[in-house]
């Protein structure tokens, strides 16, 4: 544990926490508003259902049309099955709800805006023909993956970058404070969770000082925080310190399906030459200052050099969704990387990339599939959640069946019992195919990543579940032939020493309520 240095911690507001916040805060009003709206929808749908039953033909036609729409939709097959089950159980209500979700205009507006921003940044973030040519000579298949990422979000491949891997949140936090102190031009922060406490207090104290020195500071966090960690007026508190602040998709007392699409990214950029990402949010449990689910195992990566341009671009995409006149050039200028020329840079290739739930391109899933399907010797995965669709399950089990050493590390102490139950529904099939499953005995694994054959690795925010792969904004870094991949594999091996390997006996003796919960939830897991 770190020794607390409260004189270096800045609190803007020690808000009410937990149940007290829910009962007495804005959260209760929002929840009550949602319940009222659901109640109104339910009454309308029920009355409509009763009316339709008078005319059996109209009722059957409505259900048939909805089912045809679902079957012909280009969404994931598992999601189609879930919707069909819902409509079978509550036909009219389920059908109307499906139409409401599919006609959601908010997501289309955001996707259109992001497409515009992708095009704008192509003027500043450009392909390096020499880097692409070298990668193609070494590995045509990896060059093809790089081409796909470049064509879907303008995520380019870089060299001349120093990569630093952090096997724990504490390691990242220590280096983060050092790098923040060096900031001279700008600091961009985009996190899913920011929670007042030791970690955020230390960071905020530095940000306050940097603003006084003339450094531009922007902070963006997900609207989920307004229900759990931060008050609704927290952006105004930061603005008073000179910090520009935005809340992505703030939760308001009006029901919208866009609330299901969260900004799950964790991006921090300093002066355009140093950037961080990984699973670690800005809250005390991520650095084991707070014990929630035993020891918190998380990972992160720091980039210094050319590849930071990719992280900067991602932040500016999200920040400028609501800006009329976005400014990119001062922040995407390659000259910002001049000082790293004196550093020892990593060999290999680095591709920072993002994923959007609105563009029908499942980038994160396809990167994982590409690594798994091309593995020759081993594929090692760390993830807090394991809720696999058909394609990922098929790829993982086939890899094991063809002799690839497949290992998956999961938590032993879960943060969500529902997600844990769903993960366990996969255990039997995975074990029968030869996949090795491990649970981290000291506590909770929040790390998200994969390493394969000493050549390829991904460190980022992307879980192996439907929410990350289909519903959230995510980011990650693909590392090819980077020497630091050996450190990622070494971390996997060190973590395995603290794990229990799951056997078929463990599966047989699993608690009945856990098995039942998994069975009941599995049909709806793609919609959760």
């Amino acid at each position: 544990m770190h020794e607390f240095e409260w004189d270096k911690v800045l609190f803007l507001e020690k808000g009410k926490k937990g149940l007290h916040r829910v009962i007495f805060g804005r959260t209760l009003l929002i929840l009550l508003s949602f319940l009222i709206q659901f109640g109104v929808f339910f009454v309308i749908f029920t009355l409509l259902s009763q009316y339709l039953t008078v005319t059996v033909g109209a009722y059957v036609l409505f259900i048939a049309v909805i089912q045809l729409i679902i079957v012909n939709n280009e969404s994931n097959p598992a999601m189609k099955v879930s919707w069909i089950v819902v409509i079978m159980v509550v036909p009219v209500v389920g059908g109307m709800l499906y139409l409401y979700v599919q006609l959601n205009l908010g997501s289309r507006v955001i996707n259109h805006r992001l497409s515009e921003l992708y095009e704008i940044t192509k003027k500043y973030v450009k392909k390096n023909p020499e880097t692409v040519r070298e990668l193609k000579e070494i590995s045509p298949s990896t060059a093809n993956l790089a081409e796909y990422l470049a064509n879907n979000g303008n995520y380019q491949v870089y060299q001349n970058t120093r990569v630093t891997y952090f096997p724990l949140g504490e390691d990242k936090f220590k280096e983060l404070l050092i790098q923040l102190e060096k900031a001279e031009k700008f600091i961009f922060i985009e996190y899913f969770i920011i929670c007042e406490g030791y970690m955020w207090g230390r960071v905020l104290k530095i940000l306050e000082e940097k603003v006084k020195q003339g450094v531009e500071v922007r902070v963006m966090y997900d609207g989920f925080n307004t229900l759990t960690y931060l008050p609704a007026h927290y952006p105004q508190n930061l603005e008073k310190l000179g910090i520009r602040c935005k809340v992505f998709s703030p939760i308001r007392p009006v029901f919208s399906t866009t609330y299901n699409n969260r900004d799950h990214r964790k991006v921090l950029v300093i002066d355009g030459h140093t950037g961080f990402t990984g699973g670690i949010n800005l809250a005390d449990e991520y650095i084991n200052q707070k014990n929630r689910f035993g020891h918190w195992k998380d990972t992160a990566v720091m980039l210094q050099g050319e590849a930071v341009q990719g992280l900067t671009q991602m932040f500016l995409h999200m920040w400028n969704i609501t800006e009329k006149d976005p400014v990119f050039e001062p922040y995407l200028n390659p000259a910002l990387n001049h000082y790293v020329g004196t550093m020892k840079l990593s060999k290999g290739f680095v591709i920072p990339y993002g994923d959007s739930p609105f563009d029908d391109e499942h980038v994160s899933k396809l990167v994982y599939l590409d690594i798994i399907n091309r593995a020759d010797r081993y594929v090692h995965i760390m993830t807090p959640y394991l809720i696999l669709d058909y394609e990922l399950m098929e790829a993982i089990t086939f890899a094991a069946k063809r002799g690839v050493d497949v290992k998956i590390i999961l938590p032993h102490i879960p943060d969500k019992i529902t997600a844990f139950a769903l993960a366990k529904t996969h255990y039997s099939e995975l074990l029968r195919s030869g996949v090795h499953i491990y649970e981290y005995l000291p506590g909770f694994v929040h790390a998200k990543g994969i390493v394969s054959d000493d050549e390829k690795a991904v460190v980022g925010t992307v879980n192996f579940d439907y929410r990350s792969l289909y519903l959230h904004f995510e980011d990650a870094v693909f590392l090819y032939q980077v020497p630091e991949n050996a450190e990622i594999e070494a971390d996997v091996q060190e973590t395995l020493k603290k794990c229990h390997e799951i056997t078929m006996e463990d599966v047989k003796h699993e608690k009945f309520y856990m098995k039942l919960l998994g069975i009941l939830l599995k049909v709806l897991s793609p919609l959760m």
Side-chain angles (χ1 to χ4, degrees):
M1 292 285 251
H2 296 283
E3 182 179 347
F4 276 44
E5 299 172 272
W6 293 109
D7 59 318
K8 296 182 181 179
V9 175
L10 178 62
F11 286 94
L12 291 187
E13 178 165 339
K14 292 185 179 181
K16 300 178 180 68
K17 303 297 181 183
L19 184 61
H20 195 271
R21 175 186 287 276
V22 173
I23 295 175
F24 298 102
R26 179 171 176 268
T27 304
L28 180 61
L29 294 177
I30 292 175
L31 292 176
L32 287 175
S33 175
F34 283 174
L35 287 175
I36 292 171
Q37 291 171 73
F38 278 126
V40 172
F41 290 152
F42 181 78
V43 170
I44 293 173
F45 293 157
T46 301
L47 291 174
L48 183 59
S49 176
Q50 292 173 351
Y51 175 77
L52 286 175
T53 54
V54 176
T55 309
V56 177
Y59 175 84
V60 172
L61 179 63
F62 174 75
I63 300 303
V65 169
I66 295 297
Q67 299 284 25
L68 285 172
I69 292 173
I70 293 174
V71 170
N72 287 279
N73 191 290
E74 295 182 359
S75 64
N76 181 274
M79 291 184 178
K80 295 181 183 181
V81 171
S82 295
W83 275 115
I84 289 172
V85 170
V86 169
I87 292 170
M88 287 175 61
V89 176
V90 282
V92 177
V93 174
M96 296 296 287
L97 181 60
Y98 178 78
L99 289 177
Y100 178 76
V101 170
Q102 292 300 309
L103 294 174
N104 182 18
L105 297 178
S107 63
R108 298 184 183 185
V109 171
I110 294 175
N111 186 46
H112 177 71
R113 179 56 175 163
L114 284 172
S115 297
E116 291 178 339
L117 295 171
Y118 295 157
E119 289 301 314
I120 294 173
T121 52
K122 286 181 179 179
K123 294 186 292 186
Y124 308 106
V125 180
K126 298 180 180 180
K127 182 183 300 184
N128 184 324
E130 183 61 28
T131 298
V132 172
R133 183 192 62 77
E134 185 176 339
L135 178 58
K136 189 169 292 187
E137 289 179 356
I138 296 171
S139 173
S141 62
T142 306
N144 289 340
L145 177 62
E147 183 69 14
Y148 167 77
L149 293 172
N151 292 334
N152 290 277
N154 196 37
Y155 307 121
Q156 301 296 339
V157 57
Y158 299 90
Q159 294 175 298
N160 302 318
T161 301
R162 181 182 183 181
V163 178
T164 305
Y165 174 72
F166 304 107
L168 287 173
E170 297 92 307
D171 301 323
K172 179 228 176 165
F173 180 50
K174 181 179 178 181
E175 185 63 31
L176 175 61
L177 296 179
I178 293 172
Q179 296 299 329
L180 285 171
E181 291 282 8
K182 297 178 180 179
E184 297 177 351
K185 295 181 177 67
F186 62 87
I187 299 171
F188 294 160
I189 295 175
E190 177 187 356
Y191 276 81
F192 178 55
I193 292 174
I194 294 178
C195 182
E196 288 214 312
Y198 178 73
M199 186 183 192
W200 175 236
R202 290 289 303 275
V203 170
L204 188 55
K205 185 69 175 176
I206 296 174
L207 298 183
E208 183 185 28
E209 292 301 317
K210 286 298 168 180
V211 168
K212 293 176 182 177
Q213 296 170 17
V215 175
E216 178 186 1
V217 179
R218 303 188 200 179
V219 173
M220 182 164 61
Y221 57 83
D222 186 75
F224 170 78
N225 286 263
T226 60
L227 288 180
T228 52
Y229 300 110
L230 298 173
H233 59 267
Y234 199 73
Q236 286 75 30
N237 292 350
L238 293 180
E239 296 281 353
K240 290 176 182 177
L241 297 179
I243 298 171
R244 298 181 65 189
C245 182
K246 287 189 178 184
V247 179
F248 178 83
S249 188
I251 309 296
R252 297 188 174 95
V254 179
F255 178 68
S256 170
T257 55
T258 58
Y259 294 154
N260 204 29
N261 307 117
R262 308 316 315 171
D263 181 3
H264 195 241
R265 296 178 178 181
K266 292 97 180 168
V267 173
L268 193 149
V269 176
I270 301 166
D271 291 348
H273 56 61
T274 298
F276 294 81
T277 191
I280 300 157
N281 283 298
L282 298 176
D284 286 352
E285 58 265 37
Y286 294 85
I287 57 171
N288 288 293
Q289 284 283 1
K290 180 192 292 185
N291 188 329
R292 293 186 64 196
F293 311 105
H295 183 264
W296 195 288
K297 164 65 179 172
D298 219 327
T299 60
V301 66
M302 178 176 70
L303 306 179
Q304 293 175 293
E306 290 183 0
V308 179
Q309 190 181 52
L311 294 177
T312 309
Q313 175 186 225
M314 277 188 272
F315 174 87
L316 291 171
H317 284 161
M318 297 297 282
W319 180 273
N320 285 299
I321 287 174
T322 57
E323 294 289 313
K324 292 183 179 180
D325 300 305
V327 178
F328 292 100
E329 189 169 6
Y331 313 106
L332 295 176
N333 190 335
L336 293 171
N337 293 298
H338 69 280
Y339 108 99
V340 298
T342 59
M343 289 184 174
K344 181 181 178 182
L345 303 178
S346 302
K347 297 179 181 179
F349 303 85
V350 179
I351 311 178
Y353 64 91
D355 203 352
S356 165
F358 299 145
D359 60 6
D360 296 324
E361 283 293 332
H362 309 303
V363 174
S364 300
K365 173 184 170 180
L366 293 174
V367 171
Y368 281 158
L369 284 172
D370 192 79
I371 293 173
I372 295 166
N373 287 330
R374 297 185 188 279
D376 292 321
R377 294 185 291 112
Y378 74 83
V379 171
H380 295 158
I381 296 167
M382 281 196 281
T383 179
Y385 314 117
L386 191 73
I387 307 175
L388 303 174
D389 63 10
Y390 177 81
E391 293 89 352
L392 273 171
M393 175 62 82
E394 193 80 352
I396 291 172
T397 54
F398 179 56
K401 290 174 182 176
R402 59 187 172 85
V404 176
D405 174 34
V406 182
K407 290 183 171 67
I408 303 175
I409 299 176
L410 294 158
H412 183 67
I413 303 175
D415 68 332
K416 300 179 181 69
I417 194 67
T418 52
F420 201 40
L422 283 168
K424 288 177 179 292
T425 63
H426 297 304
Y427 280 13
S428 292
E429 184 176 355
L430 291 170
L431 291 173
R432 286 196 303 269
S433 70
V435 175
H436 301 277
I437 304 171
Y438 299 83
E439 291 183 3
Y440 181 65
L441 292 177
F444 183 60
V445 170
H446 192 255
K448 307 106 171 9
I450 185 171
V451 58
S452 175
D453 294 347
D454 299 333
E455 282 199 331
K456 301 175 183 178
V458 168
V459 179
T461 70
V462 188
N463 300 311
F464 277 74
D465 69 353
Y466 284 92
R467 296 207 65 80
S468 273
L469 299 173
Y470 292 97
L471 300 177
H472 285 167
F473 289 91
E474 304 282 355
D475 80 275
V477 178
F478 175 80
L479 305 169
Y480 179 68
Q481 290 193 348
V482 173
E484 287 74 17
N485 287 350
E487 297 178 21
I488 300 175
E489 173 58 15
D491 181 37
V492 169
Q493 295 302 323
E494 190 62 30
T495 304
L496 287 172
K497 296 176 184 177
K498 303 170 186 176
C499 293
H500 166 69
E501 183 171 4
I502 302 298
T503 66
M504 289 303 295
E505 283 298 309
D506 294 314
V507 175
K508 290 178 183 178
H509 292 96
E510 184 59 64
K511 297 180 180 65
F512 174 74
Y513 79 87
M514 186 68 76
K515 292 182 179 179
L516 180 61
L517 183 61
I519 291 170
L520 294 175
L521 291 175
K522 194 162 188 177
V523 70
L524 297 177
S525 59
L527 306 180
M528 294 175 62

